[in-house]
Amino acid sequence: MIHLVLYQPEIPPNTGNVIRTAMATGSVVHLIKPYGFVLNEKHLKRAGMDYVDLTDIREHLNWTDFMETEKPVNIFFLTRYGHKAPDQFDFTKCEGDIYLVFGRESTGIDKAILKDHLDHCIRLPMKREARSLNLSNCVAIMTYEVLRQLGYPGLSGDEVIKGSDFLERNEWKQVD
C-alpha cells in the first residue's frame, strides 16, 4: 500500500487534491500537524470533492508521533535537495507499505528530517530556473510512478462508470 504523507500542509486545495488522488489510487493520507488551515469539510470539500469520506485519512500531532505510530520501513522524501530522480528507485524491491513524504508548500520538509534520510531523498527533474512544482502535482507524479513500477495493483484500466465500450456504443454527441 502507498501512504501519502503531508508534512505540515498549508494550502487546503492542495490537501484536497491529494485526498482525491489517494482515493483514486487506494492510498492512505497522513497529515502531520500543525496545518496552515483548519481541517474541516469546508476547506477540503471543493478540491477533495466527495472523496474525503472514502479516503483513509490519518492525523498526527507531529513528526515524532507519525514515526512512532506508523514505524515506516520504506520511506521516501520528495525534496528539492534530493539527488536522484524517481526512476532511480526500484519500488518493486520494497517489502511492505511505501511511504512518500511531501513537505509544506512554503519551506518543504524539515531539514533535520531530510539529513537523516539522504539516501531516500527524491527530486523531480526540472529546469534549473524552476524552484519547485505544485505540491498536489508532485504527489500525483510520485504516486503514479510507484504504481507504474508496481503494475498498478488493484486499479482499473477501463472506464467503469459508463462502460469500457462507451465510445464504441456511440451514446455521446459529436461536437462540430
Side-chain angles (χ1 to χ4, degrees), residues 9-101:
E10 298 170 317
I11 301 174
N14 281 336
T15 302
N17 285 335
V18 169
I19 291 170
R20 188 174 181 172
T21 297
M23 183 277 178
T25 59
S27 302
V28 176
V29 174
H30 296 267
L31 302 175
I32 299 176
K33 296 179 181 181
Y35 313 139
F37 53 89
V38 176
L39 184 65
N40 61 28
E41 189 170 328
K42 175 186 169 200
H43 283 103
L44 299 178
K45 193 70 167 175
R46 182 172 180 163
M49 295 177 58
D50 54 350
Y51 300 142
V52 173
D53 296 334
L54 301 173
T55 307
D56 185 352
I57 302 170
R58 304 174 189 176
E59 293 184 80
H60 303 276
L61 296 175
N62 52 44
W63 180 254
T64 302
D65 177 51
F66 164 74
M67 291 298 285
E68 289 175 356
T69 302
E70 294 298 316
K71 297 177 179 45
V73 175
N74 302 305
I75 188 166
F76 301 89
F77 301 82
L78 193 71
T79 172
R80 66 194 298 185
Y81 303 110
H83 298 293
K84 295 180 183 177
D87 65 340
Q88 292 179 274
F89 291 86
D90 186 351
F91 296 105
T92 64
K93 292 184 178 178
C94 293
E95 293 185 24
D97 293 351
I98 297 171
Y99 290 78
L100 302 174
V101 182

Side-chain angles (χ1 to χ4, degrees), residues 141-152:
I141 290 167
M142 282 305 306
T143 302
Y144 273 90
E145 171 59 19
V146 172
L147 289 168
R148 181 192 69 77
Q149 288 188 26
L150 300 177
Y152 304 103

Side-chain angles (χ1 to χ4, degrees), residues 150-173:
L150 300 177
Y152 304 103
L155 301 183
S156 174
D158 286 318
E159 164 60 46
V160 294
I161 296 172
K162 293 183 179 182
S164 62
D165 63 344
F166 176 72
L167 293 177
E168 292 87 355
R169 293 193 321 258
N170 294 317
E171 294 179 12
W172 45 276
K173 297 189 181 208

Side-chain angles (χ1 to χ4, degrees), residues 78 102 124 126 132-143:
L78 193 71
F102 304 87
L124 291 175
M126 61 187 84
S132 64
L133 294 172
N134 174 275
L135 172 66
S136 61
N137 291 340
C138 292
V139 171
I141 290 167
M142 282 305 306
T143 302

